Amino acid sequence: MDDVAGADRRSPGSGTGWARLAVSHCQYQVFTAPGEFGLRIYTLGDDLLHVGGPNEFTGFCGIHTGWIEARVRVVPGPPAAVDVGWEAISEATLWSPSGRLSVVGLMGGTAEALTDIAVPRGLIRVRVHARDRLHESVRTDDDPPERHELHIWAVSEETPWRTVLADPRGRDWEQKPAKAAEWAMLSLVPRPSGRPAILPPPPPDLYEDDSGLPRVTVVRHRPAPVEISGETLPAGDLEVRLDRVDDETLTWSWAAADEPIFPQPLDTLPDDEPSIVRLTSGPDGFTLRHEGVLGRHAFALGLLWEHLLDTVGSYPWIETLRGQAAEATARAEDARRRKAARDAEQWGGAPPSDRVRGLVSQARSLARIDRPLLDRIDALPATRQREAARWAARRAMRVAGLERIEWVADALAAAEADRPLPPLFTERSGGAAFNRLLSDPETPHTTITLHLPARASGTRRVTDALQQAAAFPALIALANDDPLVAAIDAVYNAAIAHGDDRDRFLTEAHTVVR
């Protein structure tokens, strides 16, 4: 247990010196990926450690709030014998894709020597040794400091946590394998994060990069006979298919369920590659080997097998998934109802065709003053839509007294003869033509009452406006290459240009497009 002389703390095969670590609530955490929230504490473990996920576990101290001394030693392999001089020893397997490990106090107490320690990449076994675990209420100045030492070595197999040396003063903790199996399956089939697609993807997490690491094996052992039947494990939108190869071998493969339960089913499998499950017997019992699994899945798969080997046909995650699916369905239905209400406000009823909804046009504005007219325009063939646009543009020019202006009349005549409008009307969305109109001394100036579409609240908007400015966009609309957009925009702008006679114009428009 002496310090490794001259050891480099940052390279595998070395270790750290003793470092003081602030702990609280009798706990500290060991993790290989920060920010991970896994299995709840008090689910699986003993008086020294409780497993918490593929990347972390919780260590238990005697002192509630104060200082302990801790150090880490990276060793080439498992110890040949149990070290003496310790009161409690336990061990667990962690997944360390980054090759880094940290030991921190529960409330964030850190020590530089115990932060980002270099360990082997991939699966590692961590053996925790503890001694002098005394609560501060009984500790005296003569007592040695509480010490915890971690031995770490690389492994290729995920095996369950175990007690190597039980503390004679420790308590027996209730194990909850069904709860652990529930968490495990849910961790393998997580719902999408809901991150808006418009946001850029988050940067890669260096602690989660498992590129170049080989697949691993999950191992479980039972002294009594166990049996695995070829079956399908339900997993919400997904399922696991266990297909028998021979008496001792099955394949494990993920697939989409025939009847998904979520309104937006998962379309990504946890693992695209099948893996192999072998169940063999020997003089000391039965061994299950799940070979070729992703290292980040090994811990969860181990918890699943812990439950499945002892409880045939029990799937404790099903009710949780069904509850999540029911909540998701209720949220989706509520969102559908809200969207329908918004659409009704925006469109004056049920949404129009997908094509109309996708247009950059005055479609919503026309819908709010005359929804049936919008639908009739949408139903017209392209040639009739173009005719309706020209008719509306001429009516707008006439009511505003603009058809008497020569260059405006020429543009209208060109459109009616199916010729392109002058560049003045096509460049910058007709901005140059509009500016010329406002500066032309021949342009009349009349004021009308503008009846704009009602707001979503139902309040009608009425204001005074220059009639010529309200009417002119109907002519500019004829420059649009899409006859549907041209018709919608020309009819809408012509309608509002009629001011108090808007309803009469709309009645005539129905006759034209019928």
Side-chain angles (χ1 to χ4, degrees):
M1 293 182 292
D2 295 333
D3 292 340
V4 179
D8 174 7
R9 298 185 196 171
R10 301 300 185 210
S11 60
S14 64
T16 72
W18 290 108
R20 297 184 77 209
L21 181 68
V23 300
S24 55
H25 297 276
C26 302
Q27 298 172 39
Y28 61 88
Q29 292 177 305
V30 178
F31 59 79
T32 59
E36 293 290 321
F37 296 97
L39 189 64
R40 292 177 64 88
I41 195 172
Y42 310 131
T43 303
L44 293 175
D46 58 14
D47 201 54
L48 182 54
L49 70 81
H50 280 202
V51 294
N55 305 105
E56 60 104 4
F57 64 77
T58 298
F60 289 105
C61 315
I63 190 168
H64 181 277
T65 304
W67 298 89
I68 65 169
E69 292 185 359
R71 72 175 177 181
V72 175
R73 301 181 67 181
V74 181
V75 297
V82 176
D83 288 356
V84 298
W86 298 98
E87 298 167 356
I89 305 174
S90 300
E91 62 184 34
T93 303
L94 293 180
W95 172 243
S96 177
S98 69
R100 288 177 286 180
L101 177 141
S102 297
V103 184
V104 302
L106 178 65
M107 304 305 289
T110 61
E112 182 180 0
L114 301 175
T115 302
D116 275 351
I117 303 164
V119 297
R121 288 188 71 208
L123 285 180
I124 55 175
R125 193 70 172 174
V126 183
R127 178 174 288 188
V128 183
H129 308 71
R131 65 186 176 203
D132 299 311
R133 293 194 299 166
L134 298 174
H135 192 270
E136 53 262 49
S137 61
V138 297
R139 176 175 290 279
T140 69
D141 293 339
D142 296 330
D143 291 314
E146 180 174 344
R147 282 187 163 183
H148 290 245
E149 182 173 278
L150 280 62
H151 292 183
I152 299 172
W153 62 93
V155 295
S156 60
E157 297 179 348
E158 196 282 333
T159 53
W161 72 273
R162 72 183 184 109
T163 301
V164 179
L165 175 66
D167 188 336
R169 298 169 299 180
R171 56 173 287 187
D172 291 330
W173 290 88
E174 177 190 1
Q175 306 302 306
K176 304 170 184 175
K179 198 68 179 175
E182 175 189 351
W183 173 89
M185 183 60 84
L186 295 179
S187 74
L188 292 170
V189 291
R191 304 305 303 169
S193 67
R195 181 183 178 87
I198 193 174
L199 295 178
D205 188 341
L206 298 179
Y207 285 91
E208 296 291 345
D209 181 12
D210 59 359
S211 58
L213 291 174
R215 289 175 174 254
V216 300
T217 299
V218 175
V219 179
R220 291 298 183 267
H221 182 77
R222 292 292 184 272
V226 293
E227 183 178 342
I228 306 175
S229 60
E231 59 180 325
T232 298
L233 305 182
D237 294 336
L238 307 179
E239 62 186 22
V240 175
R241 296 173 182 171
L242 284 167
D243 297 316
R244 185 164 294 282
V245 177
D246 54 39
D247 291 343
E248 295 183 344
T249 311
L250 302 95
T251 59
W252 169 294
S253 58
W254 290 95
D258 294 334
E259 298 181 1
I261 63 175
F262 283 84
Q264 292 184 318
L266 292 176
D267 55 7
T268 302
L269 301 179
D271 190 356
D272 294 327
E273 296 185 22
S275 48
I276 299 298
V277 179
R278 305 183 194 278
L279 184 63
T280 58
S281 60
D284 59 344
F286 292 77
T287 300
L288 177 137
R289 296 178 59 83
H290 190 167
E291 302 169 352
V293 306
L294 293 170
R296 62 179 179 271
H297 292 169
F299 176 77
L301 291 172
L303 298 185
L304 287 178
W305 284 119
E306 287 283 348
H307 174 75
L308 294 172
L309 290 175
D310 296 333
T311 313
V312 178
S314 170
Y315 311 121
W317 53 86
I318 286 297
E319 289 306 314
T320 301
L321 284 171
R322 286 174 179 165
Q324 292 178 352
E327 292 176 0
T329 300
R331 289 194 299 269
E333 177 60 22
D334 181 65
R336 186 198 64 77
R337 287 195 300 266
R338 292 175 181 269
K339 183 178 183 303
R342 289 194 303 270
D343 287 341
E345 291 176 348
Q346 293 175 350
W347 296 104
S353 66
D354 290 342
R355 185 184 176 206
V356 170
R357 278 182 286 175
L359 295 177
V360 179
S361 69
Q362 295 286 359
R364 281 187 174 86
S365 298
L366 180 57
R368 288 201 293 270
I369 63 174
D370 195 329
R371 173 55 192 278
L373 182 58
L374 174 65
D375 293 337
R376 282 182 168 176
I377 294 173
D378 183 27
L380 291 175
T383 55
R384 292 289 312 284
Q385 289 170 346
R386 186 65 70 180
E387 291 172 2
R390 293 166 184 158
W391 171 83
R394 180 164 288 282
R395 288 298 305 274
M397 298 306 99
R398 181 177 303 161
V399 75
L402 297 178
E403 62 182 354
R404 296 191 299 270
I405 301 175
E406 183 177 357
W407 64 275
V408 174
D410 290 345
L412 187 57
E416 290 177 336
D418 205 21
R419 299 194 307 271
L421 267 66
L424 199 65
F425 289 83
T426 59
E427 296 172 355
R428 295 188 296 114
S429 302
F434 200 87
N435 290 336
R436 180 176 176 181
L437 175 78
L438 297 180
S439 61
D440 193 329
E442 296 185 19
T443 300
H445 290 72
T446 53
T447 300
I448 59 169
T449 299
L450 210 59
H451 297 272
L452 298 173
R455 291 189 174 92
S457 63
T459 305
R460 294 180 65 85
R461 294 183 292 164
V462 180
T463 186
D464 290 339
L466 181 65
Q467 187 175 33
Q468 289 69 33
F472 197 66
L475 179 56
I476 296 176
L478 300 185
N480 200 296
D481 293 332
D482 188 333
L484 178 56
V485 175
I488 290 172
D489 288 3
V491 168
Y492 169 72
N493 287 293
I496 64 171
H498 277 73
D500 291 334
D501 287 336
R502 187 188 75 179
D503 291 343
R504 180 172 59 82
F505 168 81
L506 292 172
T507 300
E508 293 183 28
H510 276 278
T511 302
V512 170
V513 303
R514 182 174 293 125

